[in-house]
Amino acid sequence: MVMPSMKKFRCYLCVALLMLFAPVLQGQSRDAVDTALVSKFRKEGLKNSKVMEILSMLTDVNGPRLTNSPGYKNAANYAKSALESWGVGNVHFDSFGPFGRGWFIKKFSLQVMAPVYFSVIGYPKAWSPGVKGTHKTEAIYLDVKSEEDLEKYKGKLKGKIVLFDFPIMPKPAFKPDATRLTDSTLLKMANAAASSRSGGSRRRFAAGAPEMLTYKKWRLCESEGALAVLEGSRGSYGTFYASAATVPTDPTASGARIGAQAANAPEILPQIVVAAEHYNRLVRQLQQGLTVKLELAMETEFTKAEDGFNVIGEIPGTDKKEEVVMFGAHLDSWHSGTGTTDNAVGVAICMEAMRLLKVAGVQPSRTIRIGLWGGEEQGLLGSTAYVKKHLGERVADSVKLTMEGEKFSVYFNTDNGGGRWRGVYLQGNENVRPVFREWLKPFEKDGTSTLSLSNTGSTDHIPFDNVGLPGFQFITDPIEYFARSWHSSMDMYERAVEADLKQNAVMLATFAIGAANREGLMPRK
């Protein structure tokens, strides 16, 4: 055997090494970030951003956005018009099926007239009926700890405003309200193992003695003819949290519970949530034997029951237009604030990302689609119905995808507040780690580099994940999200962090175009 020359041997070796590492190099280049395009996104998104303008329209002008309310419909019409004006195609309202009645407040005031005047901080619960005219009446505290205690209130509640709950004492604020994720927290997230479940369901808990006693308290108030019910709220410094009105239901009864928005919901009492400090003051006055007189004006209006709907739009793809990359956020909110951090910021980021993609003149290989969801606060209704209608569904332990679902690539969700994105929850999908690592490179210097195998639940990526499609939520600095803003009366425009929203929109546009132009669909679990 004749040995090759050293020069030829080196050539053979180089060729062999290139062949060995070709798949790795090819994979790296396939998902490499288009830095010139990211620069375009940054220039437009940081210098000429519309994200705060969009946010103000969603909150100051069209908020709050309770599902099927006039505010929701106005916000949806605004979003549709804005997307169309930027050149986004096929913008339409997509029904997610029967939802129920719309509802809004026309007038509300609650004042203490005696023993000393003050204006009560509070708000009606969603889908609560109102009262006709202005009523001046006494307050009564329903101090019930057992069924036997119910007897002493019979014959005493008619026409009265009932304080239904025990006082809730706010705790001193020893921790800062506004926080960013620390390096140590991000490290723990990066090292976390995958969870065993997606964590997306909103659970009903088994009935017990406390639930039954609460049900009987409601029945007492109704049967005795109370005028309205006040409930104390968690929160501090006058901030309160108002959600849906309670439809008293026997906790031992079988079958689905009827929501207050349902067309067939029974008549219920007017219900008002009151800030803890004011609620507690009223209780203390009553416990001291004082007569507390209130003046209530509460005018609400229901609209007809109809289907709920999402807002959908897209930038059509070129050679792979049947395959879809999608991102979205829930458009609906609760009603005592303007729903800024939950979740107008998410909608504004998504809309701004679509604008950045259009301004940059991208022609994606795959279609890039935006989804603005309704009914998220009532149980992920809009996104769940969209997935079932268009992509597939899970039956027991098996998943059946539609043809559209088979060609679906990835969904990115934006929720969890108005802070800066620090990375991505991988939802247990280790296969996407190298892809996301490439796409995060332009943002590492901004503190955004964490990839966590752990799951996060209870928002609109879960329906996608539940049918085996890649669905992801971004790791977000909490800022004031859980402390002051989430679902609260003070979830207002001021809670958003402008610089963070601009950065997030640039990052979302980068991820969207990366997924749209990569060679294959995003890896699935």
Side-chain angles (χ1 to χ4, degrees), residues 38 94 103 172 179 181 214-215 245 287 307 309 343 358 450:
V38 174
D94 186 71
W103 176 90
T179 57
L181 294 171
T214 298
Y215 170 66
Q287 287 177 330
D307 285 1
F309 64 91
N343 184 30
K358 291 300 297 182
T450 301

Side-chain angles (χ1 to χ4, degrees), residues 31-228:
D31 289 311
V33 172
D34 184 337
T35 54
L37 190 53
V38 174
S39 294
K40 284 186 179 181
F41 293 155
R42 284 191 186 276
K43 182 177 180 181
E44 178 66 22
L46 301 183
K47 294 184 178 180
N48 302 314
S49 176
K50 302 293 184 186
V51 73
M52 298 306 287
E53 177 184 317
I54 298 167
L55 182 66
S56 183
M57 288 297 296
L58 293 169
T59 57
D60 298 329
V61 178
N62 294 308
R65 303 170 306 282
L66 191 71
T67 302
N68 271 19
S69 71
Y72 181 88
K73 294 176 180 179
N74 291 339
N77 284 323
Y78 158 71
K80 182 176 184 291
S81 176
L83 290 168
E84 289 173 335
S85 72
W86 301 329
V88 176
N90 191 27
V91 185
H92 63 282
F93 298 150
D94 186 71
S95 169
F96 64 75
F99 174 78
R101 301 174 292 176
W103 176 90
F104 62 100
I105 298 170
K106 300 179 72 174
K107 180 180 181 181
F108 174 74
S109 66
L110 179 61
Q111 304 170 82
V112 177
M113 309 306 293
V116 60
Y117 174 85
F118 65 93
S119 180
V120 176
I121 299 173
Y123 216 54
K125 296 178 75 173
W127 295 290
S128 170
V131 298
K132 293 181 179 180
T134 299
H135 291 255
K136 294 182 179 180
T137 187
E138 292 182 8
I140 188 165
Y141 174 43
L142 201 61
D143 187 4
V144 172
K145 299 181 179 66
S146 66
E147 286 194 35
E148 290 73 23
D149 291 335
L150 294 170
E151 293 296 322
K152 61 186 178 184
Y153 293 100
K154 289 185 176 180
K156 298 180 180 179
L157 303 184
K158 186 174 179 60
K160 301 294 197 307
I161 295 177
V162 177
L163 278 69
F164 192 85
D165 297 325
F166 299 123
I168 301 174
M169 294 303 296
K171 296 180 180 179
F174 291 118
K175 296 181 179 180
D177 289 334
T179 57
R180 291 196 182 274
L181 294 171
T182 63
D183 290 343
S184 60
T185 298
L186 291 169
L187 181 61
K188 288 179 182 178
M189 296 175 77
N191 292 332
S195 303
S196 59
R197 60 184 298 274
S198 64
S201 61
R202 296 186 176 185
R203 295 171 290 172
R204 267 184 64 179
F205 295 95
E211 289 76 21
M212 180 56 72
L213 182 58
T214 298
Y215 170 66
K216 291 183 176 181
K217 287 171 64 178
W218 279 111
R219 284 301 182 212
L220 176 68
C221 292
E222 291 175 341
S223 64
E224 292 291 314
L227 176 68

Side-chain angles (χ1 to χ4, degrees), residues 318-339:
T318 53
D319 57 307
K320 298 177 181 177
K321 64 181 180 180
E322 299 301 319
E323 298 178 5
V324 174
V325 169
M326 194 171 192
F327 55 77
H330 71 89
L331 180 61
D332 67 305
S333 76
W334 287 114
H335 61 293
S336 59
T338 59

Side-chain angles (χ1 to χ4, degrees), residues 488-509:
S488 84
S489 56
M490 287 295 105
D491 189 8
M492 310 290 280
Y493 178 90
E494 288 75 11
R495 302 282 80 79
V497 183
E498 181 174 354
D500 291 356
L501 301 192
K502 290 178 178 179
Q503 177 79 3
N504 296 349
V506 171
M507 182 173 160
L508 182 57

